[in-house]
Amino acid sequence: MDLTYTAAEEEFRRELRTWLRVNIPEEWTRPGFWESLDAGESFRMRRDWERAKAEAGFAGIAWPTEYGGRGGTPGMKAIYDEEMVLANAPRSANGLGLTFLAPTVMAIGTDAQKKDIIGPMLRNEVIWLQGFSEPGAGSDLAAVSTRGVRDGSAERDDFVVNGQKVWTTNAVHGDKIFTLVRTEPGSQRHRGISMLLIDMHQPGVDARPLKQMSGASEFGEVFFDDARVPATECLGEIGDGWRTAMLLLSFERGASGTAQYTEFRRQYDEIAAIAKRLGRDRDPVVRGKLARVLTELECLRLHAMYVLTQVEQGRDLGFEASMTKLQWSETYQDLWEVYDDILGEDATLDAIDGVDMRPLHAQAMWSRSVTIWGGSSQVQRNVTAERVLGLPR
């Protein structure tokens, strides 16, 4: 495992850090600033800022320049992830596209798809959604029932899509959606599914927001009612969408642990400061829990560096990505359970001793979701046991 960066990578860090310092207004970094904005305004500001960042050359860090990327190294990508967190940069408006769809397109997309998808995505001209979960198909993804019927003619060859997706991030802001559709009549489970790239701005597509317990409406539902998509707008082979989805999920589950460690470590410091401010840091039980979760965090940091080393050496981690998802998601949840333990009944208060607790409360509630989306912890353990360790079903 290599824990160092090259001179060129450190120079990239200095260049990026300078740009971020100049281009992130101070008020954006204040606790609660983004939560104080209207959701639509917040999304627009993040979309515009990210477009400017791409135009400055700080997007698609490790992707080829011919498709609009910077052509950097995996080490530069890890530095980018770390510096974005340290600078309190706005969250990506196109995270699902950038983190999950783009690497899948780079791996198996056609040249036309690479040119049509990557550049507009980097510049936020097209916001991408992920359409996997359905009312009857969450962790059991093979139960998808949204159907696409081929409607070919001499003039056009389309799929006509009907069904419903749910828990769709940024549903009301999306321009296109990469979604699993059952395209072979009578097919069951993993067979006969295709990954279709559907235009959200057409008759027959309806996106509705879902209000979460935090008050935000980041998720939504998407309804397809005779929506049309050209048969050429399929990522991977038609009917082989399960294989495409597993590849995409490996990027989702194995996304850089560096960014997660950096963000969670900062949150740990905030929680420890709250414990000290409330005088609860002298409780030996609380101290023990803080020490345990800090140990988990440092293990996550070492795991992230191990993954980065493997990627830099050209190794495809494949199903081992499930171990990364399992580690960061459960560490994150453990961290915020300590926060709840420290506050006790005070967890219902918006402010304590003059400190606005609402941003921290929102993180605590969000933490409950991370062991569900992207494949639950049970799914990750099954994948690790069967595909990595070779244990019997």
Side-chain angles (χ1 to χ4, degrees), residues 178-196:
F178 53 97
T179 189
L180 290 177
V181 177
R182 195 166 292 284
T183 51
E184 292 183 8
S187 61
Q188 298 290 323
R189 304 298 295 167
H190 311 94
R191 301 180 186 278
I193 297 172
S194 300
M195 178 86 75
L196 300 182

Side-chain angles (χ1 to χ4, degrees), residues 252-301:
E252 179 170 13
R253 294 166 181 168
S256 172
T258 303
Q260 283 128 345
Y261 166 77
T262 307
E263 182 178 4
F264 302 167
R265 186 65 176 81
R266 183 174 63 191
Q267 292 172 349
Y268 172 89
D269 290 341
E270 292 177 5
I271 292 170
I274 289 291
K276 190 171 184 179
R277 186 168 189 145
L278 298 178
R280 293 169 192 173
D281 61 321
R282 294 186 289 275
D283 183 329
V285 175
V286 168
R287 293 174 68 87
K289 290 180 177 179
L290 284 169
R292 178 176 55 78
V293 80
L294 181 59
T295 303
E296 289 183 54
L297 281 167
E298 291 309 307
C299 289
L300 175 61
R301 181 179 70 84

Side-chain angles (χ1 to χ4, degrees), residues 274 276-279 349-357:
I274 289 291
K276 190 171 184 179
R277 186 168 189 145
L278 298 178
L349 302 177
D350 286 347
I352 300 176
D353 197 19
V355 177
D356 184 356
M357 303 298 291

